[in-house]
């Protein structure tokens, strides 16, 4: 089945640093989604990407849809303590356009 | 914006009992709702898709008789964990969409932490 692998699995960074994480798949995706999950909460959509090569920003967050359609990247600039959480990539599953597969997640911890 | 309310936020039950979790869309009509399960330090795994007025479709490996889903109205879906066992302890999250074509940004509830003792 479709699997989304994220790296790194976890990371500790100093407040103010930039962060990069990625998501790769063995299958092609036509849409990439990036979510953030705070502890004990449901995920919240950060950015949605719909076209290969697309680069989209949402405040300090920037995400890119890889041109091969098999990967996506999320960057966070000038990290702050509230950026702490788990970041998931996700993509629509084949055969059911409203179902999505979630990636393995990247846990981000910010040291003040 | 779209809001999905999930209740309860946490529940502890005895092994063998049943637990019902509610998922409500507060300001939109949810034609489709999804139920996920998330074990500690793991990703979200889709359990079932719930469409208003029809039977839910379950993912492979999910027992439909154990996880009963009812989507009786456009704003409410319920998940009942029947005869719960400790291995059913998990974080259950619902999401809802109004089926707006290209919009995959469906909204998630805040989750329900189920602990079976």
């Amino acid at each position: 089945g479709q699997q989304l692998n994220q790296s790194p699995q976890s990371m500790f960074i100093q407040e103010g640093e930039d962060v990069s994480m990625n998501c790769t798949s063995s299958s092609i995706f036509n849409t990439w989604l990036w979510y953030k999950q705070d502890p004990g909460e449901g995920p919240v959509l950060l950015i949605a990407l719909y076209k290969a090569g697309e680069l989209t920003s949402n405040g300090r967050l920037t995400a890119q849809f890889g041109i091969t359609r098999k990967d996506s990247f999320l960057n966070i600039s000038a990290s702050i303590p509230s950026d702490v959480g788990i970041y998931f990539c996700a993509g629509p599953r084949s055969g059911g356009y409203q179902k999505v597969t979630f990636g393995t997640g990247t846990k981000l911890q910010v040291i003040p | 914006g779209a809001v999905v309310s999930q209740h309860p936020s946490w529940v502890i039950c005895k092994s063998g009992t049943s637990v019902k979790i509610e998922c409500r869309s507060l300001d939109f009509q949810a034609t489709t709702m999804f139920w996920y399960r998330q074990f500690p330090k793991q990703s979200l795994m889709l359990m079932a898709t719930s469409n208003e007025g029809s039977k839910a479709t379950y993912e492979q490996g999910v027992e439909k008789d154990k996880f009963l889903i009812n989507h009786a109205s456009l704003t409410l879906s319920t998940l009942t964990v029947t005869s719960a066992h400790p291995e059913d302890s998990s974080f259950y999250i619902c999401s809802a969409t109004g089926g707006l074509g290209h919009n995959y940004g469906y909204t998630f509830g805040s989750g329900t932490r189920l602990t079976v003792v």
Side-chain angles (χ1 to χ4, degrees), chain B residues 6 8-15 17-21 37-40 47 66-67 79-93 111-117:
Chain B
Q6 196 171 333
S9 55
W10 60 270
V11 58
I12 301 173
C13 72
K14 288 186 176 180
S15 188
T17 61
S18 295
V19 174
K20 182 186 283 189
I21 302 170
R37 180 167 51 183
Q38 184 179 31
F39 291 109
M47 298 175 65
K66 180 168 185 59
F67 298 100
L79 168 68
T80 301
V81 182
T82 63
S83 187
H85 289 106
E87 57 264 31
D88 298 324
S89 299
S90 186
F91 193 52
Y92 292 86
I93 313 172
T112 297
R113 173 77 58 196
L114 170 63
T115 302
V116 185
V117 298

Side-chain angles (χ1 to χ4, degrees), chain A residues 21-51:
Chain A
M21 60 188 79
N22 67 44
C23 180
T24 59
S25 171
S26 56
S27 310
I28 287 176
F29 280 83
N30 293 317
T31 298
W32 287 94
L33 308 168
W34 282 94
Y35 289 88
K36 182 191 178 207
Q37 185 179 30
D38 290 328
E41 297 287 334
V44 174
L45 182 67
L46 300 174
I47 293 178
L49 303 161
Y50 299 106
K51 223 162 61 166

Side-chain angles (χ1 to χ4, degrees), chain B residues 42-90:
Chain B
Q42 293 190 21
S43 187
L44 283 76
M45 298 300 294
L46 180 66
M47 298 175 65
T49 302
S50 167
N51 292 298
E52 186 267 337
S54 62
K55 288 184 179 180
T57 55
Y58 291 80
E59 295 300 302
Q60 194 171 12
V62 178
E63 301 173 58
K64 62 179 182 180
D65 294 331
K66 180 168 185 59
F67 298 100
L68 301 179
I69 291 173
N70 185 284
H71 193 159
S73 77
L74 282 171
T75 58
L76 174 65
S77 176
T78 59
L79 168 68
T80 301
V81 182
T82 63
S83 187
H85 289 106
E87 57 264 31
D88 298 324
S89 299
S90 186

